[in-house]
């Protein structure tokens, strides 16, 4: 399945019928209302689940691997900033939102790098109201781990819909005595939903913080004004936490090219990241026959096929069936008084979700760590059998969705 396209501006022109549907839907809600319980029409959907979309942040893991090798804590920090800023240029064609994952839905994958090292990923929908997606990523060969949970809240702001990205991500560099980088996120806005072209923007301020190194990156994702300004601009600074001393300035366009300049030496900006010259590392996912019923690609395969075939009636039918089944599961649990228990994550005393395979329990030896993590992520429910990644995809629905099409 095609993962993304890259444009300097993400925009889409809606026809009259889709815009009228949105107008009708918006007329029933109020400004600043939480949209988490609103069912969106299928023409605004990106054909993948939010559990899979989280992997966009793992598109350039080589930046983390290179940062982890650096002896200088400031250079390591710059490498992490480069990695963080590299995930935003990945997006679907047009202004689309991923499927809202159902409770207990999960996505799991692995990837292999040029140096033959590998990494493993799992994301699970651990709460539906409010929606919370927990995720875990681990690269045993380089002793790098990422954990976090994302808590998106959608809001209607007149001619815009905003996704407020709450939650956290924490990057662990075990090689440096468990050096940690705490990450927060900007907000996303779909502008022009009622009139004008629909445009995707990032806005507000986000941070990357490493308390151990006394370093912080604070970046403002600037939104375009009604008259002045340009799209996708960022202005950020790397500074000392304790003294607020600015070390580096980060500027540019989060879709295309980002620059860094030494603040103290007042050097000319040089390229930190250029999306046109970097390779996206693909995720490897087992074929649908090896997936469980609540794995994202298997669960949404009929919706995905219908969207690719531009059959919005079929997409709506299959999407409604998934949502009704989720409502029935909620009613059943309430009747039986059985709370939902996540499979891969647990809510801890800090109020955040963490993997139930604790980092401290993962072996230091890379090969042993791979075995432990693979067993935890890829073992099939109710058995000791693991997913077979060597099996080719033979599901006719998935093959139809992947069929090349004219644009």
């Amino acid at each position: 399945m095609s993962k993304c396209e890259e444009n300097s501006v993400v925009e889409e022109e809606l026809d009259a019928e889709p815009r009228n549907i949105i107008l009708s839907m918006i007329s029933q809600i109020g400004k600043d209302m939480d949209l988490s319980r609103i069912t969106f029409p299928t023409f605004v959907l990106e054909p993948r689940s939010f559990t899979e979309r989280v992997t966009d942040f793992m598109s350039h893991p080589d930046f983390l691997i290179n940062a982890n090798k650096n002896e200088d804590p400031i250079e390591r920090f710059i490498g992490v900033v480069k990695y963080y800023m590299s995930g935003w240029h990945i997006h679907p064609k047009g202004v689309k939102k991923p499927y809202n994952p159902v409770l207990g839905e999960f996505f799991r994958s692995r990837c292999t790098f040029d140096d033959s090292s590998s990494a493993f990923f799992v994301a699970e929908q651990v709460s539906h109201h409010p929606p919370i997606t927990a995720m875990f990523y681990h690269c045993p060969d380089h002793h790098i781990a990422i954990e976090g949970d994302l808590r998106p809240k959608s809001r209607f702001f007149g001619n815009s819909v905003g996704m407020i990205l709450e939650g956290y991500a924490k990057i662990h560099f075990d090689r440096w005595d468990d050096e940690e980088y705490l990450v927060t996120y900007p907000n996303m806005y779909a502008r022009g939903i009622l009139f004008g072209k629909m445009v995707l923007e990032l806005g507000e301020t986000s941070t990357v913080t490493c308390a151990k190194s006394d370093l912080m990156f604070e970046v403002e994702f600037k939104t375009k004004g009604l008259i002045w300004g340009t799209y996708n601009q960022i202005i950020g600074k790397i500074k000392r936490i304790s003294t607020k001393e600015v070390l580096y300035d980060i500027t540019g366009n989060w879709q295309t090219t980002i620059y860094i300049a030494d603040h103290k030496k007042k050097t000319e900006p040089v390229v930190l990241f250029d999306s046109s010259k970097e390779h996206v590392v693909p995720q490897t996912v087992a074929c649908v026959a090896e997936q469980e019923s609540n794995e994202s690609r298997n669960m949404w395969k009929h919706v995905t096929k219908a969207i690719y075939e531009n059959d919005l009636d079929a997409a709506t039918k299959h999407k409604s069936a998934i949502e009704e089944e989720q409502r029935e599961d909620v009613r059943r649990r309430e009747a039986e008084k059985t709370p939902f228990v996540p499979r891969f994550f647990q809510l801890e005393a800090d109020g955040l979700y963490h993997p139930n395979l604790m980092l401290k329990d993962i072996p230091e030896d890379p090969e042993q760590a791979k075995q432990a993590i693979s067993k935890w992520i890829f073992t099939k429910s109710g058995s000791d059998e693991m997913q077979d990644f060597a099996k080719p995809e033979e599901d006719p629905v998935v093959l139809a969705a992947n069929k090349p099409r004219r644009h």
Side-chain angles (χ1 to χ4, degrees):
M1 298 180 186
S2 177
K3 183 174 182 178
C4 65
E5 293 195 14
E6 297 174 28
N7 307 44
S8 58
V9 179
V10 191
E11 62 182 23
E12 180 177 9
E13 186 81 61
L14 285 183
D15 294 332
E17 183 179 356
R19 197 178 294 278
N20 287 337
I21 293 173
I22 290 182
L23 281 167
S24 175
M25 181 183 71
I26 293 299
S27 68
Q28 303 173 44
I29 61 180
K31 189 176 180 181
D32 296 328
M33 178 180 176
D34 183 359
L35 304 183
S36 62
R37 295 177 183 269
I38 300 296
T39 299
F40 283 87
T42 52
F43 63 79
V44 304
L45 295 179
E46 173 189 2
R48 58 174 174 158
S49 177
F50 186 74
T51 55
E52 181 174 356
R53 190 171 186 175
V54 177
T55 62
D56 290 353
F57 296 105
M58 287 72 186
S59 296
H60 301 286
D62 46 316
F63 297 157
L64 275 187
I65 293 171
N66 291 334
N68 190 42
K69 295 175 180 177
N70 208 304
E71 300 283 338
D72 185 333
I74 295 179
E75 291 299 321
R76 280 201 303 277
F77 190 87
I78 292 172
V80 173
V81 168
K82 180 178 181 179
Y83 160 78
Y84 173 72
M85 294 304 300
S86 72
W88 300 108
H89 74 103
I90 309 291
H91 60 79
K93 183 179 180 181
V95 182
K96 305 293 184 183
K97 69 179 295 297
Y99 308 139
N100 289 331
V102 305
L103 189 64
E105 176 187 336
F106 63 93
F107 176 84
R108 50 187 174 182
S109 63
R110 68 183 190 185
C111 56
T112 302
F113 309 135
D114 292 339
D115 64 358
S116 298
S117 62
S118 54
F120 308 91
F121 175 84
V122 63
E124 180 180 13
Q125 193 70 7
V126 294
S127 173
H128 189 62
H129 291 304
I132 302 175
T133 305
M135 60 91 173
F136 179 75
Y137 177 91
H138 201 287
C139 180
D141 295 289
H142 298 284
H143 301 282
I144 297 171
I146 306 174
E147 61 171 322
D149 66 41
L150 292 132
R151 307 179 181 215
K153 294 181 179 180
S154 297
R155 293 286 188 272
F156 171 53
F157 301 113
N159 195 36
S160 302
V161 170
M163 179 184 286
I164 315 303
L165 276 177
E166 298 181 349
Y168 84 103
K170 192 176 288 185
I171 302 168
H172 301 264
F173 282 173
D174 289 348
R175 180 186 174 194
W176 304 103
D177 193 23
D178 196 22
E179 187 171 83
E180 295 180 351
Y181 298 80
L182 182 63
V183 171
T184 64
Y185 303 100
N187 300 330
M188 294 184 177
Y189 299 98
R191 313 288 194 191
I193 61 171
L194 302 183
F195 52 86
K197 284 187 176 181
M198 289 182 66
V199 177
L200 175 67
E201 287 194 283
L202 299 181
E204 317 307 334
T205 299
S206 63
T207 59
V208 178
T209 306
C210 180
K212 183 177 178 181
S213 299
D214 190 37
L215 293 170
M216 168 184 277
F217 172 56
E218 188 172 53
V219 57
E220 180 186 3
F221 290 81
K222 301 182 74 67
T223 56
K224 183 182 179 299
L226 291 175
I227 301 176
W228 307 111
T230 55
Y231 288 108
N232 307 335
Q233 298 301 298
I234 59 108
I235 296 178
K237 297 182 184 300
I238 295 175
K239 54 188 177 182
R240 294 286 182 190
I241 299 173
S242 57
T243 64
K244 309 299 183 186
E245 176 191 11
V246 177
L247 305 180
Y248 291 90
D249 297 302
I250 309 288
T251 56
N253 183 309
W254 55 263
Q255 280 277 16
T256 55
T257 310
I258 297 171
Y259 301 90
I260 184 170
D262 190 310
H263 183 85
K264 290 167 56 175
K265 296 180 180 178
K266 300 189 182 302
T267 60
E268 288 295 313
V270 296
V271 174
L272 177 67
F273 173 73
D274 183 343
S275 63
S276 68
K277 297 180 179 178
E278 299 295 346
H279 171 65
V280 173
V281 176
Q283 301 290 320
T284 302
V285 182
C287 69
V288 163
E290 289 293 298
Q291 294 182 25
E292 297 174 34
S293 60
N294 57 335
E295 284 193 60
S296 296
R297 288 192 182 178
N298 193 14
M299 172 172 283
W300 294 96
K301 65 182 182 181
H302 291 286
V303 182
T304 298
K305 174 178 177 288
I307 289 175
Y308 277 120
E309 293 178 344
N310 202 29
D311 188 345
L312 299 185
D313 289 338
T316 299
K317 171 188 171 184
H318 292 299
K319 177 173 174 286
S320 297
I322 292 171
E323 292 164 346
E324 179 54 37
E325 184 176 354
Q326 176 177 236
R327 286 188 283 269
E328 182 58 36
D329 286 343
V330 171
R331 290 191 287 267
R332 176 183 54 78
R333 282 193 298 271
E334 289 176 347
E336 297 174 356
K337 294 182 170 54
T338 55
F340 169 75
V341 178
R343 174 168 168 179
F344 297 99
F345 298 88
Q346 59 193 17
L347 184 63
E348 297 190 4
D350 59 2
L352 303 173
Y353 283 89
H354 298 270
N356 52 34
L357 175 64
M358 306 293 287
L359 286 173
K360 64 180 180 62
D361 295 331
I362 297 176
E364 290 188 16
D365 177 75
E367 293 306 315
Q368 293 179 10
K370 289 178 189 177
Q371 292 177 16
I373 296 168
S374 295
K375 183 177 180 180
W376 174 62
I377 294 179
F378 300 117
T379 298
K380 298 179 181 179
S381 179
S383 77
D384 294 328
E385 184 183 354
M386 293 177 60
Q387 286 185 311
D388 182 359
F389 280 82
K391 268 190 181 180
E393 184 59 73
E394 297 177 340
D395 188 287
V397 176
V398 177
L399 293 176
N402 289 339
K403 184 172 64 177
R405 291 176 174 80
R406 293 180 180 179
H407 296 283

